[in-house]
Amino acid sequence: ETILVSGGGGSGKSTWVLQMIHDHVPANQPIWVIEGERKIRGAATLFGGFPENVKGVYNPLTIKEAAQIVNEEIIPVVRGKPEGYGIVVVDMLNLFWEKAQADFHEVLSQDTDIAEYMQMKMEERKSKGQSQTAANMFEGFTEWPIVKAMHNKNFLDILLQDIPSHIIATATSREIRTDSGNMNDKPDRAAMWAQAGELPEGEKYSDSKFITCMALQRLGLIDPQHRIWMTKDRSRTLGKIGAYFSDVLCSPDEESGIFDLWIEATSLRS
């Protein structure tokens, strides 16, 4: 299972994960915790600490460190194991998206020309009474495809696709933006989370990488016995999915062009 637990600050995400670890994970299942804010460590005191099957609790400062933990501490242990072996917890997933941006900006800041540009930009914004945060200083220098590759290909996708373990991740959420302006949430994503009233923060569409059965059931999209796997359809081949799975019907909505899936029988990954 790959589960995303989303909610506002202080809503109990980390505590819920710890209760799952203590009450519902068998003692023979190894657990690894990768956290961004050390909230898991703090909440663990409510349960008398971590159980013995927690093999590591990590607090990487960069996305590079997070990727190293996955590749060096987790993958060697779970490689070759049956599906469902072990549990990896990623607490505050949205912070790892910020870490990927920070790693990218650190590389840029080592370039003398860019450092001079940043100083000029800072003075310019200061004279106008505008914000002088690091993000503003890098305006015009953020290459999102590179940052996404650092976050997804080097970290998140490895967790979700290359290891057999269950994944439980948490992320803060915010209200859906439907007012005017360029920060609006796209209609398909807003519609997906409309009934919940808010959506997870972090890299755009990263929540689509998670199979969150609870949310999908709440929205009336699946039945509990169905197993659904999602993919981001960059090549626009999703409409041909019927050619691969005879029990899945897929068709685009005539007005929006958004694909809906109807599951007629359980499809196991094979």
Side-chain angles (χ1 to χ4, degrees):
E1 298 285 349
T2 54
I3 300 173
L4 179 66
V5 183
S6 180
S11 59
K13 299 181 295 294
S14 300
T15 305
W16 180 88
V17 169
L18 277 164
Q19 187 166 356
M20 288 287 292
I21 290 174
H22 276 267
D23 297 347
H24 300 288
V25 178
N28 63 349
Q29 277 276 50
I31 302 169
W32 294 269
V33 178
I34 306 174
E35 58 176 339
E37 286 189 327
R38 297 181 179 269
K39 285 187 175 181
I40 289 278
R41 294 175 192 265
T45 59
L46 300 173
F47 297 86
F50 293 101
E52 293 184 0
N53 54 331
V54 174
K55 302 303 181 182
V57 182
Y58 309 94
N59 183 235
L61 299 178
T62 66
I63 197 71
K64 183 178 180 180
E65 288 181 23
Q68 287 177 331
I69 290 167
V70 174
N71 285 299
E72 298 175 9
E73 302 291 334
I74 301 176
I75 288 182
V77 178
V78 302
R79 183 183 287 118
K81 296 294 193 298
E83 189 166 352
Y85 177 80
I87 294 177
V88 180
V89 174
V90 181
D91 195 34
M92 299 309 293
L93 180 67
N94 44 295
L95 288 183
F96 289 92
W97 172 239
E98 295 176 9
K99 290 179 187 295
Q101 296 177 64
D103 280 7
F104 176 75
H105 289 160
E106 182 180 4
V107 173
L108 283 185
S109 64
Q110 296 171 5
D111 185 297
T112 303
D113 292 337
I114 294 177
E116 292 177 354
Y117 166 86
M118 288 176 62
Q119 184 64 35
M120 178 191 71
K121 195 77 174 178
M122 183 178 295
E123 295 297 331
E124 176 185 315
R125 295 185 68 87
K126 185 177 180 180
S127 66
K128 296 179 180 179
Q130 297 174 332
S131 172
Q132 300 171 55
T133 63
N136 294 135
M137 299 308 104
F138 282 106
E139 186 178 348
F141 281 98
T142 300
E143 292 290 341
W144 294 116
I146 298 175
V147 179
K148 286 186 176 182
M150 293 168 64
H151 178 262
N152 294 341
K153 294 181 180 179
N154 297 338
F155 177 61
L156 184 58
D157 286 353
I158 294 175
L159 283 175
L160 297 182
Q161 299 175 17
D162 295 348
I163 67 175
S165 306
H166 300 295
I167 308 297
I168 299 177
T170 70
T172 54
S173 60
R174 59 167 173 77
E175 291 185 356
I176 299 173
R177 293 187 291 246
T178 56
D179 298 331
S180 59
N182 61 0
M183 292 297 289
N184 278 2
D185 294 304
K186 292 191 175 181
D188 56 345
R189 193 158 182 245
M192 177 179 176
W193 294 97
Q195 190 167 335
E198 53 186 39
L199 48 76
E201 290 188 291
E203 194 270 315
K204 186 166 59 175
Y205 296 118
S206 67
D207 50 276
S208 296
K209 296 175 180 288
F210 287 79
I211 310 336
T212 308
C213 293
M214 186 184 303
L216 292 173
Q217 288 173 26
R218 181 176 179 181
L219 296 172
L221 297 180
I222 69 169
D223 292 323
Q225 71 269 25
H226 294 150
R227 174 180 288 191
I228 296 179
W229 297 87
M230 296 179 181
T231 180
K232 188 166 184 178
D233 182 31
R234 287 194 178 278
S235 59
R236 298 294 180 264
T237 58
L238 188 57
K240 302 177 182 179
I241 196 170
Y244 303 100
F245 300 99
S246 59
D247 58 351
V248 176
L249 299 177
C250 184
S251 63
D253 179 82
E254 294 182 359
E255 294 183 1
S256 66
I258 298 172
F259 282 101
D260 291 318
L261 291 178
W262 286 269
I263 308 302
E264 293 186 333
T266 302
S267 289
L268 296 179
R269 186 171 61 173
S270 61

